Each structure stands twice: as C-alpha cells, then as structure tokens.
Amino acid sequence: MKIKAAVCREAGALAIEEVELAEPKMGEILVKMVASGVCHTDAAARNLFIPAILPMVLGHEGVGIVESVGEGVTELAPGDKVIISFPYCGECDYCREGHPYACEDSFHLFFHGKYKDGTTRITGADGTEIGSLFGQGSFATYAVCDASSAVKVDVSVDELKALCSLGCGIQTGAGAVLNRMAPRPGTSLVVFGCGAVGIAAIMAGKIAGCSTIIGVDIVPSRLELALECGATHVINGKDFDDVPAEIRRICGGKGAHFALEASGVPALGLQMLDSMRREGLAVIVSVMGDQRMNVLIENQIMSPSVTLAGIVEGGSNPKVFIPELVRYYKEGRLPVEKLAKYFKFEDFEQAFEASHDGSVIKPILLF
Ligand SMILES: NC(=O)c1ccc[n+]([C@@H]2O[C@H](COP(=O)([O-])OP(=O)(O)OC[C@H]3O[C@@H](n4cnc5c(N)ncnc54)[C@H](O)[C@@H]3O)[C@@H](O)[C@H]2O)c1
Ligand SMILES: [Zn+2]
Ligand SMILES: [Zn+2]
C-alpha cells in the first residue's frame, strides 16, 4: 500500500515521501498510526550519532490502531489500540529468560532498519529499499511491526496520543527505577537530566515511595516540571560549583541511595558517582556516543562499594510493564500528558527543534 513516511536518506536530513509499504508477514501487524513521540534517539539516529543504516523511516514511539494482522497472530486483532515498543528476537537466551531489553540482536533490530527475517518492508518511489527504525518507522501514516513489540491497551484515542512515549522514553526512565533499582520506600533518588526519561524516573521514584527525589538540569522550566511531577528538590547545575556536595547535603550528608544519568553528558555521569551514598546504585540510560567517562574506579566505585550499571529500555518486558504504566497513568500517578506538545506530521522539523532547544519535553506528531 502507498503511505506517507518521513525518510532519512543522509545525515541530518528528513523528508516526507510517498513510499510503498508491504503487507505484514507472519507474526507481524499493520498499524494505522495515530501519533508518534519524538525521542532523543530519533535525533541521534538522524544525525548518525548512532550508526543507523540509511535510508530509513525514523520514529519508534508509535501508537495506533491495528489495521490487519499477518499469519499466526492471535493476540491482536483489527481495531485494537496498541502502543508499539522495541523489537527483540524472541529466541536468544536473554529473550527466553524474559529479558527482551537485553536481546543479543537488539542493536541490529533497533538501528539497522531490518525486521527479524533480515528484510525491509518499505520501498521508495525510485525502487530503493528503505529501513524502519526499531522495526517500526512510526513517522508514517502506517507501519508494520512485529506483534511481539505491540501492546494492546484499553484507553480512548485521545489518551492513546499522550501515551506514545510509554513505548520508549517513559518506559526507559520509569523502568530504570521500578525494574532495575526497585527502591525501598524512604530511600533517596537523584536524576541527572530532566527530559522525558528523567521526569519519568522522577514520577517512578514517587510511585516507589522515595522520600527524597532530586532533579538536576540547567533549564528552569524543566526543573519546575520536575517539582510538579514528584521531585522534592531540584538543582540548577549552573547555580552550583559542586553539585555532588549539594546532593550529599540534601541527602543528610551521606549521598543518594539511587541515581540515574539521563542527560547524555559524561561529566554528569561522574557527578552522579560523586553523589552516591556507600553501597548506592548508579544507573546510566543516556546515549553518550563515543564519548568516554573517566571514572576513578577505586575512589568512585570500589572503595565506597558503589554499583555502576547500564540498562536498555528500563529493563522492561513491554508486554508486562506497559500495562503497569497505563494503570499508573489512569490512577493519575504517571501524568505523562504534562510533558506532551502536539505537532502536525508535516511540522516534524518544528517538533525536532522544540526538543533540541529544550522548549518541549515530549513533542508528539499526529497523523
Ligand atoms: N537506554 C535506553 O534504552 C534509552 C531509551 C530512550 C532514550 N535514551 C537516551 O536517554 C537520554 C535522555 O533522553 P530524553 O528524551 O529525556 O532527552 P532530553 O534531551 O529531553 O533530556 C536530556 C536533559 O538533560 C539536560 N541536560 C543537558 N546538559 C545538561 C547539563 N550539562 N547539566 C544538567 N542537565 C543537562 C537537558 O536540559 C535535558 O532536559 C538520551 O541520551 C536518549 O538518547 C536511552
Ligand atoms: Zn533476543
Ligand atoms: Zn527512544
């Protein structure tokens, strides 16, 4: 079928083209897109900060309505509302153990544009094969994805629009806290970078009952939103020479039990390590490209018995975790609508710019 899709053919460029989308194959579904979030990772792929293989339809936070299903799909049917999350092979040891975020094939399935069978689903007007980011390519009027990535949800179409980033950014931040850290009530959490991922972590810290939740950023409007979403304290990095000292002061002189790096700035990763309480758990979810973090292992990790961990997609099993997040949303405990600003599909450049300049936390394209 003919669809409209935003195709990246060279680094930095993105343009809407009319392209041909194949029918869903075995185990796949065709989704009529309702909305798609714009994640920082779309910008990273567009700029080849991540080595994506072009040409590619970007977008990986799609929500929509199932139009048709391929052979063998029984858990989804036409008319179902779905949130599309990340792809995974389903067959490696990690997938079989219920840890699809750690799938051996994830880098390939996320960034090389191909589906599990090694082929693409989109053909350009000039006959070129076009890949789909995250086996999804949600910046398009329709997309094909694997049924294992799509989660059926019982919400209105308006709610569905606000929930697109549950598929990636919100799941990443909330999952890092609820799945990886699993903080006990009364513990402290510090979050570096109050974008969609960081704010989701702050909301999750509140859900988990953390009694001290500190948001660090340099954009005042993001710090205000962090306070609205559950932070008990915020720190503007521009106002302090020694951010870790301020964090330790807030945390009763000892430092934080848990911390998340969601800014993508290596220097903040190091500040995070200096902010930890002994035996603390520091988690990195941000993309830092080929930049390095110059960790002083003995002082920052070994001697204080600190754990430094990384995790993809919040350590989530989307079929289990996304329904849990939708439940929190319905209870008013995950107010993701506060992060959203809507743009028409054709205004995607404005959406990217609004994310880049910090004025909008979660730009959402509507189809
Ligand atoms: N691990 C995963 O599976 C996964 C999934 C989604 C996103 N990500 C990554 O997570 C990161 C966060 O994503 P996002 O969508 O929230 O991005 P974002 O750009 O909206 O958020 C980053 C925040 O960091 C802040 N920041 C930048 N420099 C700073 C500094 N020097 N001091 C303090 N704050 C600073 C920015 O103001 C911004 O609020 C990105 O790197 C993204 O690529 C990872
Ligand atoms: Zn796998
Ligand atoms: Zn993402």
Side-chain angles (χ1 to χ4, degrees), residues 194-259:
C194 298
V197 172
I199 298 262
I202 286 170
M203 293 176 185
K206 186 173 177 190
I207 290 169
C210 292
S211 54
T212 304
I213 304 173
I214 307 168
V216 181
D217 208 292
I218 43 177
V219 179
S221 59
R222 295 192 167 206
L223 293 171
E224 276 161 34
L225 192 67
L227 285 169
E228 238 180 84
C229 293
T232 55
H233 302 75
V234 289
I235 295 176
N236 187 328
K238 287 187 175 160
D239 295 343
F240 290 86
D241 290 334
D242 190 345
V243 169
E246 179 60 8
I247 292 168
R248 288 196 303 273
R249 187 192 69 74
I250 294 169
C251 297
K254 289 197 158 69
H257 291 90
F258 299 98

Side-chain angles (χ1 to χ4, degrees), residues 3-7 14-19 139 345-348:
I3 63 161
K4 287 209 165 73
V7 184
L14 196 62
I16 297 181
E17 297 182 16
E18 189 174 82
V19 296
F139 295 167
F345 181 26
E346 50 275 26
D347 295 335
F348 65 85

Side-chain angles (χ1 to χ4, degrees), residues 261-325:
E261 195 335 90
S263 74
V265 180
L268 268 65
L270 293 172
Q271 287 184 10
M272 169 172 76
L273 292 175
D274 288 336
S275 307
M276 303 312 296
R277 183 188 172 97
R278 285 178 179 261
E279 299 216 281
L281 170 59
V283 178
I284 297 187
V285 292
S286 62
V287 172
M288 295 191 185
D290 55 10
Q291 307 173 88
R292 285 172 190 269
M293 251 175 69
N294 193 12
V295 179
L296 197 57
I297 301 285
E298 187 170 334
N299 288 6
Q300 293 179 300
I301 303 279
M302 188 280 281
S303 177
S305 300
V306 160
T307 300
L308 176 60
I311 200 152
V312 174
E313 295 290 341
S316 315
N317 183 341
K319 296 270 191 195
V320 178
F321 193 52
I322 288 180
E324 185 180 329
L325 293 177

